[in-house]
Amino acid sequence: MILDGYLVASAALFTLGVVLFLSKKNAIAILMGVELILNASAINFVAFGKFTPSQGSPFDGQIFAIFIILLAAAEAVVALAIVLAAYKEYKHIMVDQYTKLRG
Amino acid sequence: MVNTLPYLNFIPAYVLIGISILIFFVGKAVPKISRLPVTVFFIFILCIAFMMEGAGSGSQVLFFNMIQIDSFSRLYNQLFFLVILSTVLMMSNSEEIDSDLRWENYGLLSTICLGMMFMVSSKHLLMTVVGIELVSLPSYLLVAMNKKNPASKEAALKYVLFGSFATGIMLYGMSFLFGLTGSLTFEGLWNGLSGYHILGSPIYFLAIFMTLGGIAFKISAVPFHFWTPDAYQAAPTPITAFLSCAPKVAGLALLMRFFAVLLPEQSEQMGVFISIVAMLTMTLGNFAALKQTDIKRLLAYSSISHAGFLLMGVAVMNDAGRQVVFFYIPIYLLMNLGAFMAIIYLSKGTNFQIDSYKGMIYKKPLLVVSLAVCMFSLAGIPPFAGFIGKLYLFKVVIEKEMFLLAIVAGINSVVSLYYYVYVLKVMIIDKDITPEIEFKGKPATIAFVASCAVPLVFFGIYWVPLLDWASKVVLFQ
Amino acid sequence: MSFIQTAIPFVPILPLIGALILGFFGKRIQASVGEFKTGILGCLTPGLAAVISFASFFVLITLEPEQRVFTIHLTDWISVAELDVQWAFRYDPLSALMLMIVTGIGTLIHIYSMGYMHDDQSYWRFFSYINLFLAAMLLLVLGDNLVIMFLGWEGVGLCSYLLIGFWFSDSDNAQAGKKAFLFNRVGDLGFITGIFLLYLFSSQHYDIVTLSFGELDQRALFLSKSSLWDYPLLEIAALCFFIGAMGKSAQIPLYVWLPDAMAGPTPVSALIHAATMVTAGVYMIGRMYFLFALAPNVLMFVSWIAALTCFFSATIGMAQFDIKKVLAYSTVSQLGYMFLAMGVGAFSAGIFHLLTHAAFKAALFMGSGSVIVALHHKQDMREMGGLLKKMPVTGWSMIAATLAIMGFPLTSGFFSKDEILWKAYMQGSPALWLIGFTAAGITSFYMWRLIFMTFFGESRCDKHTWDHVKEQPKRTVVPIAILAFLALVLGFLNIPHFLGGHSGFTDYLSPVVQDLEIAPSKLIETSSLIDTHVSSTMTDESLSVEEDHTQLEWTLMILSVLWTIFTGLIAFFFYYLSPKTRQIIMSFIWAKKLFQLLSDKYYIDELYEIVIITPIKAIFQICSLHDQKVIDGIVNFAGFFGKWIAKISAVFDNQIVDGCVNGTGWLSQFSGQGFSRLQSGKIQSLVGASLLVGIGFIVLLVFYFI
């Protein structure tokens, strides 16, 4: 019963993340959307790790969640670095105006 | 607690590449080391790693069911070392890459290399994620390294956003797979899923599709291919060549690993699914390529369509298919790398418009002839190796009685002929009106392209050695 | 590994290496070390190949006859399903003989070319091509299976095309090259169809099909029981192969390219279009005699085609004035003799004529080339005459070769041609003999006509040219003299039994090629009995028959000798003794008409123009009309259709999608451009598009699998 609650929460987080990703123009806000998506899956992993019987080690889900947090951090670093570089070139970070490459 | 350190004996190449990452990132800060000839050092490391993988034998499962070492992983790893080696050669001939950043670039390349090695030997979702991310993150940065083209920053930003979104989707899908089966290894996963394909519950498809999305992003298959043209166009050309080869191959290998332990009913289902993806991918890539005016963008679409062709071999879901994929990959690498290298040499600064290559045959006949061999081979015209590769792909698909896939692939090969030959037409038949230009490339470039073209002709006539090599690719052996 | 197995693979590889070196670096080599040394380099590899060939031959004949067949396996090649084609060479008495002809004459002609091509800008290119030709020809000869043979077959065709059009800046030459290429393609279609047929039927009954000659030999009897559309399979396959031979060896109706091929440099005519490539068809039939022996109807067809070719091309040869054209038609005619021999089952006689013909025809061509160079590239015999004094070596060599080709007693042509005519009489029919016999007389006539017009009588060229005529340098005339000498003496290899000889040549070939000792007409009646190639009951009978016919054989031989001498004398009379008589006869209207008909080659080219080329052009017209009307119509319709779809989707975009956007909000970012421009460059639209496609996928899959 309690599992459902986690799943609903994570689904809501995921949806919010997708919406944020698709609707914001600022690159930083879009990255925040990505973080939400990643966190949604982390919640899922932890919840499943607690409630479903694991075939492997009992902490599979939790370990995976830790990796996701690490991964989110690494991705943020790389993405923010690129955002900075792009800012130097364009003097703004409105992604929808970055349309040099198309076709 | 299990001591995993002895496991490292079984994977010396992984350790070596891992150490080299450290050296490259730390070494620049040490004044004495930073003056060493880093390119030679990197090539040396790659050669050693190549030999280490060549010396290995047997099949081993290491690190809590995470890594599978077998002939499959070893041969693919060897391919990766070769590709990175040629990328290093291309980078040192390119003007688009800042040579002051060699240490960092090589560090990023070795990180990607390690990621790809994890991908081909992964048998666990966690390892899959780690591998994919180790490849993705440095790729984003490498795309942004083009000092000649400001648009590379834009391309990198789009690439990183798309990539992280794809990763997010993949992780969310994985979490459901984990929830449905309680397992993270591939075998446990498919065994646990064995009941679901009959029920056909949407969550099952949702989970599998989202997970595959991350891999599709790496091999730029439909619908996760949208980043490809932009990133390829603006990235430094050696990096474009690299991205169009190595990560794609790693993604395919991962996909084959992922599907290697399917149950019979599942494999039929997934076969249909992959063949649909393959058809869409090749069709979209080819038709979009028809209208391109930028040669790098054209080659980007061409590489998308080739991903589709390679997926044909994955879709048949058997050993023959896997071997044919491996048979085609060296050919694909040769023709793609050769074509990109020739383009680097012939380009005038940042101008990669096809029209700017008019009448090149009169200026650099040998190079253009070699490029023509690569192009014809990409188009799959006999007697070049690309034809033989495609022939074998068709063979396995027809043996599996996937006729629709074979027909669509056939139509696509014909369509692809048009844009490859168009490029050659511009280079060979059209008259040049622009004044003489200086070619800044080194003569070694021509040798490189020719050494890609010669094997293409050779393997087109006599492909037995390649076939022998490919027949050694067996999973779990 | 014996010497043969080690050395033979180098025979084709050496010229190939020469061709590659000269092809890629020839220009620089010629610029740096000069023409002469480039030529030496070009001659070196064929020379080495010739040394190996001769050495291997002498090793071969020391072995027992039944051990003389070698299969030299190099590596695997094509291995798909039942098909298992390998890179393998076959070295046996037949290919040993061909190797010696190809490399031996090839080397002589290379040396000759050094003089002939002197001062040509593309000296290196010539040697590169002709080396490549040798490599391909040797591949054809040595190939152990049909596929390798076909590879060589195509290779020699390519080189022939390249060399005919060697001086391609003249459009006539380029046209001649194209003509040769196209006519050869018609033949090649036959050849490759034959290969496919054999593969198709073998693969139905056997697990592995290597298409090697040894394997085909074993399976021929079994395959002869299969049939395709109620015709025996082997008859059809043999016919296909013969069509291939028709193209390559210039038989009716595909012979018209060969005379035009004389546009190439003369060494090329001598090597490719007289001595080696054009005899490939004969060689191929000899190589697969077991297959043809089981196809009696095809053999009959071969013999009649051959006889007609032999006769008609000889008559055309009588009325030509271009010295090389005369020799070209003579070649076609002599090839006819070879196929006649093949057609009546006298395979070894055909191969023997191939050998002797290679010698005397190469000598004749090289002699004519020497004359042409001396006269500053004049080829018209009406402008020659009296050259014997100025060019004694060339002249006497050509006279020797002419004696051989007319079949003067004890020369090589005498033995080989008489053997063929005798076999045609015995195993074919008297009619075939009569045609061949008549053609022999005509041969003698036109050859002596050539000699008298060129070397005797008054000079008809202008004074300036005449003063500059001189004998060619040694490297040109010595090869001619060698070949002329061979043309005189080679016949002693195969002195028939009734003249007290041993038929040594036939014995030499017997491990690989056995003659049919019975007439094809009898073969048809007894075809059900043929379980061995030579039916044992027939052998006894034919032996006893042979005893009775010794008298007849002598008669026929003396007849043909007298007949050829007689026609030779006519030529002597008309073209040397009293040209006035000739002019009187030519003034008759019927003689003029006949001459016109012959010199215009029976209007065959024009016939082809009307019957084949015009209809094809008409078809082109129809196709292009079809393109313009029908295809364009479809395209326009598709465009129209597309426009409609676009309109509908625009309505969809505007109404329904926008409705959704307004309703849900989050779609608003990408719906505007979403569907119409997928690759808009805006990252969020792209991600949205992939999401949508992905969702579509899942929905599709859910419905597909439930």
Side-chain angles (χ1 to χ4, degrees):
Chain A
M1 290 308 112
I2 302 174
L3 178 61
D4 287 358
Y6 290 108
L7 291 189
V8 169
S10 87
L13 215 50
F14 179 80
T15 318
L16 278 174
V18 172
V19 171
L20 206 57
F21 191 99
L22 292 177
S23 61
K24 284 289 171 184
K25 290 174 184 168
N26 191 310
I28 307 286
I30 294 174
L31 280 173
M32 287 163 74
V34 173
E35 296 299 314
L36 287 191
I37 297 174
L38 292 177
N39 286 343
S41 46
I43 290 178
N44 257 1
F45 267 112
V46 176
F48 283 130
K50 182 160 168 57
F51 289 102
T52 53
S54 172
Q55 311 284 322
S57 120
F59 301 111
D60 266 359
Q62 283 83 336
I63 293 167
F64 213 116
I66 291 173
F67 266 88
I68 290 175
I69 292 164
L70 265 173
L71 197 152
E75 218 160 54
V77 168
V78 170
L80 286 175
I82 291 175
V83 168
L84 265 180
Y87 178 76
K88 275 187 194 160
E89 213 61 66
Y90 287 79
K91 302 297 171 201
H92 65 82
I93 48 171
M94 295 299 158
V95 177
D96 65 331
Q97 289 167 33
Y98 283 16
T99 50
K100 261 192 191 168
L101 302 163
R102 57 184 351 189
Chain B
M1 197 62 199
V2 185
N3 183 10
T4 55
L5 276 181
Y7 290 172
L8 296 178
N9 292 334
F10 297 112
I11 47 171
Y14 294 65
V15 177
L16 181 65
I17 298 290
I19 292 171
S20 79
I21 298 174
L22 279 181
I23 293 174
F24 284 127
F25 283 134
V26 177
K28 185 139 192 221
V30 185
K32 274 184 186 166
I33 297 177
S34 66
R35 261 177 268 129
L36 294 173
V38 62
T39 311
V40 178
F41 175 66
F42 192 31
I43 290 175
F44 177 71
I45 283 184
L46 288 170
C47 292
I48 298 282
F50 184 88
M51 282 185 268
M52 281 173 168
E53 286 295 296
S57 64
S59 165
Q60 219 105 33
V61 181
L62 306 172
F63 295 110
F64 313 109
N65 264 338
M66 286 218 194
I67 284 187
Q68 165 91 45
I69 307 292
D70 51 19
S71 64
F72 184 86
S73 71
R74 276 192 292 275
L75 285 166
Y76 272 99
N77 285 344
Q78 285 185 323
L79 274 187
F80 297 147
F81 299 141
L82 291 178
V83 176
I84 291 177
L85 193 72
S86 33
T87 312
V88 170
L89 293 177
M90 287 165 91
M91 282 166 85
S92 53
N93 279 320
S94 169
E95 291 188 345
E96 292 163 308
I97 291 178
D98 200 340
S99 58
D100 294 341
L101 294 177
R102 268 178 310 181
W103 285 86
E104 287 82 350
N105 285 337
Y106 295 158
L108 293 174
L109 272 182
S110 1
T111 315
I112 295 184
C113 183
L114 190 65
M116 294 193 297
M117 292 160 85
F118 284 151
M119 276 165 84
V120 294
S121 47
S122 149
K123 61 177 307 190
H124 192 280
L125 287 183
L126 185 54
M127 210 63 213
T128 309
V129 174
V130 171
I132 288 181
E133 285 309 305
L134 278 184
V135 177
S136 292
L137 294 175
S139 306
Y140 304 145
L141 292 170
L142 283 173
V143 167
M145 291 288 184
N146 194 343
K147 64 171 183 180
K148 289 257 170 135
N149 189 356
S152 69
K153 308 293 183 296
E154 176 189 333
L157 185 54
K158 288 178 182 177
Y159 189 19
V160 73
L161 291 179
F162 203 111
S164 49
F165 184 77
T167 311
I169 295 278
M170 176 177 73
L171 286 170
Y172 199 62
M174 282 179 176
S175 71
F176 277 109
L177 282 181
F178 176 60
L180 289 171
T181 62
S183 172
L184 283 173
T185 60
F186 295 165
E187 280 125 321
L189 214 69
W190 289 111
N191 283 328
L193 286 174
S194 62
Y196 287 95
H197 73 278
I198 305 163
L199 297 171
S201 61
I203 191 73
Y204 160 75
F205 287 110
L206 200 67
I208 288 186
F209 182 79
M210 287 174 122
T211 308
L212 290 180
I215 305 176
F217 164 74
K218 281 277 82 149
I219 55 185
S220 64
V222 169
F224 289 91
H225 67 281
F226 290 105
W227 60 273
T228 320
D230 292 351
Y232 283 17
Q233 185 185 349
T237 315
I239 301 302
T240 311
F242 175 74
L243 288 181
S244 71
C245 297
K248 199 169 276 204
V249 170
L252 280 164
L254 173 59
L255 202 58
M256 287 186 275
R257 272 239 189 264
F258 190 53
F259 287 140
V261 287
L262 290 180
L263 303 174
E265 312 89 354
Q266 288 169 337
S267 91
E268 196 179 321
Q269 203 175 54
M270 286 295 131
V272 172
F273 170 62
I274 295 292
S275 65
I276 294 172
V277 173
M279 284 189 276
L280 285 176
T281 306
M282 63 177 87
T283 312
L284 197 140
N286 270 328
F287 280 82
L290 291 176
K291 286 165 63 182
Q292 298 308 319
T293 54
D294 183 300
I295 195 159
K296 279 167 81 178
R297 220 170 159 83
L298 183 140
L299 283 172
Y301 281 112
S302 137
S303 85
I304 295 180
S305 81
H306 269 88
F309 281 117
L310 284 163
L311 280 174
M312 283 164 76
V314 180
V316 299
M317 303 275 170
N318 55 24
D319 267 335
R322 285 188 274 274
Q323 281 165 11
V324 169
V325 170
F326 189 83
F327 176 72
Y328 193 66
I329 283 170
I331 300 173
Y332 172 70
L333 298 181
L334 282 173
M335 46 203 194
N336 228 15
L337 289 174
F340 273 112
M341 195 72 173
I343 286 163
I344 292 181
Y345 189 91
L346 294 176
S347 67
K348 304 160 184 170
T350 54
N351 186 0
F352 288 97
Q353 292 295 309
I354 295 175
D355 288 344
S356 69
Y357 294 100
K358 276 182 183 163
M360 277 297 173
I361 183 96
Y362 302 106
K363 292 170 188 159
K364 290 285 159 195
L366 183 61
L367 189 71
V368 174
V369 168
S370 307
L371 177 64
V373 171
C374 295
M375 285 286 194
F376 279 130
S377 188
L378 279 166
I381 294 177
F384 303 113
F387 168 73
I388 302 299
K390 273 194 186 147
L391 196 71
Y392 273 89
L393 279 174
F394 279 105
K395 181 182 158 240
V396 289
V397 167
I398 289 171
E399 273 172 4
K400 196 76 198 266
E401 301 190 334
M402 292 172 157
F403 297 117
L404 182 64
L405 179 56
I407 291 167
V408 172
I411 294 170
N412 269 298
S413 325
V414 178
V415 172
S416 71
L417 190 59
Y418 171 80
Y419 56 86
Y420 292 122
V421 174
Y422 173 73
V423 175
L424 295 178
K425 181 221 147 211
V426 170
M427 286 190 182
I428 294 170
I429 296 175
D430 285 359
K431 287 279 172 294
D432 186 25
I433 37 164
T434 55
E436 279 292 309
I437 51 150
E438 283 278 310
F439 289 102
K440 288 175 187 161
K442 299 171 186 168
T445 322
I446 302 182
F448 182 92
V449 181
S451 64
C452 287
V454 169
L456 286 176
V457 179
F458 176 76
F459 288 135
I461 298 162
Y462 181 66
W463 56 90
V464 175
L466 214 50
L467 210 57
D468 286 346
W469 201 31
S471 66
K472 285 182 202 144
V473 179
V474 187
L475 283 166
F476 313 124
Q477 266 184 30
Chain C
M1 288 294 264
S2 68
F3 170 73
I4 287 177
Q5 278 168 324
T6 322
I8 286 301
F10 287 99
V11 176
I13 289 171
L14 280 170
L16 182 66
I17 292 172
L20 291 178
I21 291 176
L22 284 170
F24 283 118
F25 310 111
K27 204 170 185 177
R28 278 176 215 171
I29 294 176
Q30 191 178 338
S32 61
V33 301
E35 196 181 89
F36 183 73
K37 282 180 185 164
T38 316
I40 295 281
L41 184 67
C43 297
L44 193 66
T45 48
L48 283 175
V51 170
I52 296 176
S53 309
F54 279 92
S56 308
F57 171 74
F58 289 119
V59 174
L60 186 76
I61 50 175
T62 58
L63 301 171
E64 292 296 309
E66 54 273 16
Q67 291 173 346
R68 286 183 190 172
V69 179
F70 289 87
T71 306
I72 300 149
H73 176 254
L74 299 179
T75 171
D76 294 339
W77 188 22
I78 303 171
S79 171
V80 181
E82 293 92 4
L83 189 64
D84 181 21
V85 177
Q86 306 193 314
W87 268 104
F89 290 154
R90 185 182 177 86
Y91 188 72
D92 59 15
L94 180 57
S95 45
L97 176 78
M98 285 300 285
L99 280 196
M100 287 191 294
I101 296 177
V102 175
T103 57
I105 294 185
T107 309
L108 288 178
I109 289 177
H110 271 77
I111 297 168
Y112 169 84
S113 318
M114 283 173 62
Y116 189 87
M117 297 306 288
H118 184 59
D119 279 346
D120 195 292
Q121 274 189 336
S122 311
Y123 199 76
W124 58 276
R125 191 161 59 91
F126 178 82
F127 276 99
S128 164
Y129 285 170
I130 204 160
N131 266 334
L132 185 65
F133 165 78
L134 271 190
M137 186 70 203
L138 292 167
L139 200 64
L140 188 159
V141 168
L142 279 173
D144 180 52
N145 54 50
L146 283 169
V147 182
I148 300 218
M149 190 186 221
F150 186 68
L151 207 65
W153 188 270
E154 289 298 308
V156 292
L158 169 73
C159 296
S160 156
Y161 164 74
L162 290 174
L163 284 163
I164 293 170
F166 184 73
W167 290 309
F168 52 77
S169 45
D170 183 352
S171 79
D172 277 358
N173 295 349
Q175 286 294 343
K178 271 190 229 166
K179 189 172 179 182
F181 201 67
L182 288 177
F183 271 94
N184 269 304
R185 291 286 81 61
V186 178
D188 294 344
L189 184 67
F191 192 113
I192 202 162
T193 314
I195 298 178
F196 287 157
L197 276 178
L198 286 183
Y199 167 69
L200 192 67
F201 280 84
S202 309
S203 65
Q204 285 172 2
H205 301 292
Y206 297 95
D207 290 339
I208 291 176
V209 181
T210 61
L211 289 176
S212 73
F213 295 115
E215 184 195 78
L216 286 174
D217 193 3
Q218 285 166 13
R219 295 179 181 175
L221 269 175
F222 183 81
L223 287 176
S224 69
K225 295 185 186 102
S226 319
S227 58
L228 179 69
W229 302 312
D230 294 337
Y231 290 103
L233 166 71
L234 284 192
E235 298 266 7
I236 297 176
L239 185 64
C240 287
F241 285 120
F242 180 56
I243 290 172
M246 274 180 186
K248 189 111 307 186
S249 303
Q251 297 294 294
I252 287 176
L254 301 180
Y255 71 95
V256 290
W257 65 269
L258 185 55
D260 286 11
M262 298 304 146
T266 305
V268 172
S269 309
L271 179 62
I272 302 185
H273 303 117
T276 55
M277 183 188 86
V278 289
T279 59
V282 182
Y283 171 75
M284 188 252 289
I285 293 186
R287 183 44 90 209
M288 291 201 285
Y289 80 100
F290 47 83
L291 201 132
F292 281 84
L294 294 170
N297 290 323
V298 173
L299 279 186
M300 187 124 97
F301 179 67
V302 171
S303 60
W304 279 99
I305 287 280
L308 291 178
T309 310
C310 177
F311 178 76
F312 281 110
S313 53
T315 54
I316 296 173
M318 286 196 296
Q320 298 298 318
F321 287 111
D322 184 332
I323 187 168
K324 282 177 76 180
K325 283 272 161 77
V326 176
L327 292 175
Y329 281 105
S330 160
T331 306
V332 177
S333 165
Q334 297 297 316
L335 286 166
Y337 276 115
M338 296 174 211
F339 277 104
L340 179 59
M342 293 322 215
V344 298
F347 299 115
S348 66
I351 302 278
F352 186 53
H353 195 58
L354 189 163
L355 169 67
T356 57
H357 172 256
F360 58 65
K361 190 50 68 61
L364 285 171
F365 262 116
M366 288 155 76
S368 75
S370 154
V371 170
I372 291 168
V373 171
L375 291 175
H376 300 291
H377 292 275
K378 283 210 179 63
Q379 307 198 352
D380 195 325
M381 290 195 291
R382 282 169 294 194
E383 296 178 25
M384 297 176 184
L387 290 174
L388 190 63
K389 282 165 280 177
K390 292 252 184 178
M391 310 178 67
V393 184
T394 309
W396 285 111
S397 304
M398 279 186 79
I399 290 170
T402 305
L403 283 173
I405 194 175
M406 77 177 270
F408 195 78
L410 302 183
T411 59
S412 63
F414 165 73
F415 292 107
S416 61
K417 196 184 282 182
D418 257 15
E419 176 89 358
I420 291 175
L421 287 177
W422 165 244
K423 289 283 164 67
Y425 185 89
M426 279 306 294
Q427 299 175 21
S429 70
L432 285 174
W433 173 81
L434 190 63
I435 297 174
F437 173 77
T438 318
I442 299 172
T443 308
S444 165
F445 175 80
Y446 65 68
M447 282 316 301
W448 284 110
R449 172 174 172 264
L450 184 150
I451 294 292
F452 287 124
M453 283 183 86
T454 312
F455 290 106
F456 293 91
E458 290 298 308
S459 164
R460 292 178 294 276
C461 62
D462 56 79
K463 182 89 173 56
H464 174 78
T465 316
W466 176 251
D467 290 340
H468 285 81
V469 170
K470 57 175 191 298
E471 186 61 287
Q472 293 297 300
K474 276 212 184 81
R475 63 189 126 142
T476 307
V477 293
V478 168
I480 309 179
I482 294 173
L483 282 172
F485 173 73
L486 286 176
L488 289 178
V489 301
L490 269 181
F492 293 104
L493 291 177
N494 200 25
I495 302 172
H497 286 293
F498 80 100
L499 288 176
H502 303 288
S503 294
F505 186 79
T506 313
D507 290 346
Y508 164 72
L509 281 184
S510 61
V512 280
V513 180
Q514 283 149 4
D515 289 354
L516 283 177
E517 292 289 344
I518 38 177
S521 55
K522 286 181 196 163
L523 235 156
I524 299 163
E525 294 156 20
T526 57
S527 57
S528 57
L529 289 176
I530 317 171
D531 279 336
T532 54
H533 299 148
V534 184
S535 164
S536 55
T537 52
M538 290 294 168
T539 320
D540 299 340
E541 197 181 309
S542 56
L543 273 177
S544 59
V545 166
E546 202 172 314
E547 287 297 313
D548 295 338
H549 286 306
T550 311
Q551 200 74 31
L552 185 62
E553 207 167 347
W554 273 101
T555 318
L556 292 182
M557 187 191 82
I558 291 168
L559 255 184
S560 66
V561 167
L562 290 178
W563 165 236
T564 47
I565 292 176
F566 172 67
T567 51
L569 284 175
I570 293 179
F572 174 67
F573 182 70
F574 276 177
Y575 288 91
Y576 184 67
L577 218 51
S578 122
K580 279 210 177 117
T581 327
R582 189 186 74 208
Q583 278 153 11
I584 291 166
I585 292 178
M586 287 305 293
S587 66
F588 292 128
I589 195 85
W590 59 269
K592 256 188 198 163
K593 284 240 165 107
L594 182 65
F595 189 81
Q596 194 65 33
L597 178 70
L598 294 180
S599 71
D600 285 344
K601 309 145 194 171
Y602 298 105
Y603 302 103
I604 293 287
D605 278 333
E606 287 77 4
L607 184 75
Y608 283 168
E609 178 83 30
I610 294 166
V611 178
I612 299 171
I613 298 174
T614 317
I616 287 181
K617 277 189 179 160
I619 294 173
F620 285 167
Q621 284 290 328
I622 295 169
C623 287
S624 84
L625 271 181
H626 173 263
D627 256 18
Q628 283 166 15
K629 304 288 176 199
V630 183
I631 303 285
D632 282 6
I634 293 175
V635 171
N636 288 340
F637 177 74
F640 182 73
F641 188 69
K643 233 196 273 178
W644 263 98
I645 297 274
K647 270 186 189 164
I648 294 169
S649 77
V651 171
F652 180 78
D653 256 16
N654 292 338
Q655 308 297 323
I656 302 170
V657 177
D658 281 6
C660 290
V661 167
N662 297 334
T664 53
W666 64 270
L667 269 170
S668 60
Q669 279 300 315
F670 61 93
S671 64
Q673 308 92 339
F675 286 101
S676 54
R677 283 182 298 167
L678 274 180
Q679 203 74 41
S680 63
K682 299 194 179 183
I683 183 68
Q684 286 153 316
S685 338
L686 301 186
V687 171
S690 16
L691 259 187
L692 272 188
V693 178
I695 292 168
F697 249 142
I698 296 172
V699 172
L700 191 101
L701 281 176
V702 169
F703 280 110
Y704 185 88
F705 288 110
I706 291 177

